[in-house]
Amino acid sequence: MALDARVAALGAQVVALDGMVAALRAQLARDSSNSGKPPSSDSPFVKKPAAKRSSRTRSGNPRGKQPGAPGTTLELADDPDDTIVKSPAACGGCGGDLAGAPVYASQRRQVLDVPAAAPRPHVTEFQVVSKQCGCCGAVTEAQAPEAAGSRVQYGPRIKARTTWLVCGHFLPIRRARAVVNALLGFEISAGFAASVRAQAARLLEEGFLPHVRALIASAPVAHADETVARAEGALRYLHVACTEHLTAMHVGDRSAEAIDAGGVWESFTGVLVRDGYAGYAHLEQVEHAWCGIHLVRDLRAVNDPDPTGQSWAGMMVRTLLRGNTLAHAARAEGREKLTDTELAGLDSWYYGAIAQGWRENETGRDPLHEAARTLLRRFDKHKDMILRFTVNLAVPFTNNTAELPARAVKVQQRTSGGSWRTLQGLIDFAVVQSYLSTATKWGHDTLEVLEHLFTTGPWLPHALTPEAI
């Protein structure tokens, strides 16, 4: 009897150790495909398995330019700056002199290049004249234009281009200064290059941001996300509120109060697409939709270490992706919703996966089983939020709409040494990026809208979408 008890105890220990090994393997295998880690954190030295890791499916199209797609080519200019005639001096057959021979044919070939030297800055002088009245003797001075508020200053175009490099192309201040000076013939200082971002942010805070926030708050579907940034030696959070055509960002901590400080969600009553962060749970007046790709990554983190013992997670992944396929097909057909049969099938697969998961995780106290049970409780409790994209086809499967604008702060941080020197610099960057992101979504050239900002004021979107009247 003692031997049997000893064998049983060792068997239980082996099961527990197997679970711990699987959990440790899962921890070591975490990357951007099965967790919230960014792709940039994936090791370039670890060979990926041959099995497809992405939830995307192949389109079947060949790589590169697609058949029938319009091509692009350089066109000849009608008024070239220089024309150089190249004529043969001697005959290629007999060697005879061709100096007086008639022209048989001529080809036009052109080379497009930058000028040999950087252009000289265009200087506009305003002479502000004062005149004395012959009747009363009063002296009246003409009003100087706003663009010439001081003795010498830079104009809106150079401000726009510097801001464009710093905020639109994520160049560090000193590199942006070097580019401007080398290509445009200026001698701007690093201080000026740093100041234009703040100037742009102040111009946007009064008109653009309140306008865009009000539009997002009126949208039927909107997206939220947050990402970590480091400024002044501490972790901060960049918050994104956006739609397909609008973006508003702000900086704070990760609290519910900081989320509300963006000025959007307290008055929003539509569907909010987000990840699983509980900081949005206090928004009870909205319908919540959980990003499907976040859920797929969480499921793969459980399934990959033990595909047989956690088969339910693979079943749930297939259910979510099947729902996404059905939703895409319904939109392509112009339908407003899935059929009752399609929805019933998804419900059956969904509950079947959960039932299988509880059977597979009845026992086991190792970290992998604990993580699986946590995930099962999440799917059990939040089905409506998870499958929102199947009952409302205006809701997308992913939260990429919010995640893409948030990447800008990561790119800028990486090019600038991994941290923002000042918190205000991060705040100003978020404001300017809100403007550039929105303009890009509307199909506007970002340099043009920055010139607009520094001349007549910010460009403003007139509605939720460009198609709206």
Side-chain angles (χ1 to χ4, degrees):
M1 296 297 292
L3 180 60
D4 292 340
R6 179 61 174 165
V7 170
L10 290 174
Q13 186 177 5
V14 168
V15 171
L17 290 173
D18 284 343
M20 292 180 64
V21 169
L24 291 171
R25 285 178 175 171
Q27 185 176 350
L28 289 173
R30 288 175 70 85
D31 57 21
S32 60
S33 69
N34 56 18
S35 72
K37 299 175 67 176
S40 59
S41 67
D42 292 346
S43 172
F45 306 105
V46 177
K47 183 176 176 60
K48 295 283 185 175
K52 180 174 68 68
R53 304 293 300 155
S54 174
S55 60
R56 297 180 180 178
T57 57
R58 292 185 180 274
S59 65
N61 296 328
R63 294 180 179 178
K65 180 177 175 294
Q66 300 301 306
T72 57
T73 185
L74 294 175
E75 300 291 342
L76 291 169
D78 294 330
D79 54 346
D81 297 296
D82 296 307
T83 300
I84 300 174
V85 178
K86 302 292 290 184
S87 296
C91 175
C94 66
D97 184 15
L98 295 179
V103 175
Y104 177 76
S106 178
Q107 299 180 30
R108 295 179 67 202
R109 300 191 180 191
Q110 295 181 349
V111 177
L112 279 65
D113 207 342
V114 298
R120 176 181 177 271
H122 184 85
V123 180
T124 301
E125 179 174 300
F126 295 92
Q127 297 183 358
V128 183
V129 177
S130 300
K131 290 188 175 182
Q132 186 175 23
C133 178
C135 296
C136 67
V139 176
T140 303
E141 182 179 279
Q143 185 175 2
E146 187 176 350
S150 59
R151 183 170 174 270
V152 180
Q153 67 183 62
Y154 291 117
R157 292 188 181 89
I158 187 62
K159 290 180 180 180
R161 279 154 178 77
T162 307
T163 308
W164 188 59
L165 291 174
V166 172
C167 296
H169 291 278
F170 317 115
L171 290 186
I173 297 299
R174 288 180 175 81
R175 287 168 58 187
R177 170 182 176 269
V179 171
V180 168
N181 291 342
L183 297 184
L184 302 181
F186 278 78
E187 288 297 332
I188 67 169
S189 65
F192 171 78
S195 70
V196 291
R197 179 175 59 204
Q199 292 180 45
R202 301 295 81 76
L203 292 172
L204 292 167
E205 284 175 339
E206 294 184 1
F208 173 80
L209 269 185
H211 177 74
V212 168
R213 286 168 174 168
L215 285 175
I216 296 174
S218 69
V221 178
H223 300 253
D225 194 29
E226 68 288 329
T227 190
V228 175
R230 181 173 289 276
E232 291 184 349
L235 291 181
R236 318 288 180 174
Y237 284 88
L238 177 83
H239 294 273
V240 179
C242 67
T243 67
E244 186 179 353
H245 294 100
L246 304 165
T247 301
M249 294 189 262
H250 73 283
V251 176
D253 55 30
R254 215 181 178 201
S255 64
E257 291 75 15
I259 290 173
D260 292 341
V264 174
W265 303 126
E266 285 186 312
S267 56
F268 178 73
T269 58
V271 179
L272 175 59
V273 184
R274 60 177 180 85
D275 57 24
Y277 175 52
Y280 301 97
H282 69 287
L283 302 173
E284 298 180 352
Q285 80 281 8
V286 309
E287 289 186 329
H288 296 261
W290 208 316
C291 172
I293 289 301
H294 279 81
L295 294 166
V296 167
R297 288 198 289 259
D298 291 340
L299 290 164
R300 283 179 169 165
V302 170
N303 178 256
D304 287 356
D306 188 8
T308 302
Q310 299 292 342
S311 64
W312 76 274
M315 295 168 60
M316 188 62 79
V317 168
R318 291 189 291 273
T319 299
L320 295 177
L321 297 182
R322 173 62 176 165
N324 188 35
T325 300
L326 292 174
H328 276 298
R331 294 189 197 99
E333 295 169 6
R335 289 191 278 140
E336 295 183 354
K337 61 181 181 179
L338 299 183
T339 66
D340 291 341
T341 302
E342 290 170 334
L343 291 173
L346 289 173
D347 281 352
S348 176
W349 297 329
Y350 188 94
Y351 286 122
I354 290 178
Q356 178 68 14
W358 286 121
R359 285 193 293 269
E360 292 175 343
N361 291 278
E362 286 180 346
T363 60
R365 293 294 177 264
D366 56 87
L368 184 61
H369 282 87
E370 294 290 353
R373 282 190 286 270
T374 299
L375 202 55
L376 279 164
R377 285 189 288 270
R378 183 189 307 171
F379 277 87
D380 232 345
K381 181 179 179 181
H382 298 294
K383 172 181 174 291
D384 290 344
M385 182 162 55
I386 290 171
L387 293 184
R388 185 83 61 195
F389 72 97
T390 65
V391 298
N392 183 348
L393 295 184
V395 177
F397 178 62
T398 75
N399 197 30
N400 285 348
T401 302
E403 292 181 2
L404 289 174
R407 292 178 185 174
V409 71
K410 295 294 190 182
V411 177
Q412 180 74 78
Q413 182 171 282
R414 191 178 303 118
T415 61
S416 300
S419 178
W420 296 82
R421 189 169 62 177
T422 66
L423 176 58
Q424 189 61 49
L426 174 59
I427 294 172
D428 292 343
F429 178 82
V431 173
V432 179
Q433 267 299 314
S434 301
Y435 185 60
L436 298 181
S437 173
T438 301
T440 300
K441 291 177 177 181
W442 278 66
H444 292 306
D445 182 85
T446 52
L447 180 55
E448 288 182 3
V449 296
L450 284 172
E451 289 187 10
H452 197 296
L453 173 67
F454 285 110
T455 51
T456 59
W459 160 81
L460 298 176
H462 65 269
L464 281 171
T465 66
E467 296 79 16
I469 299 176

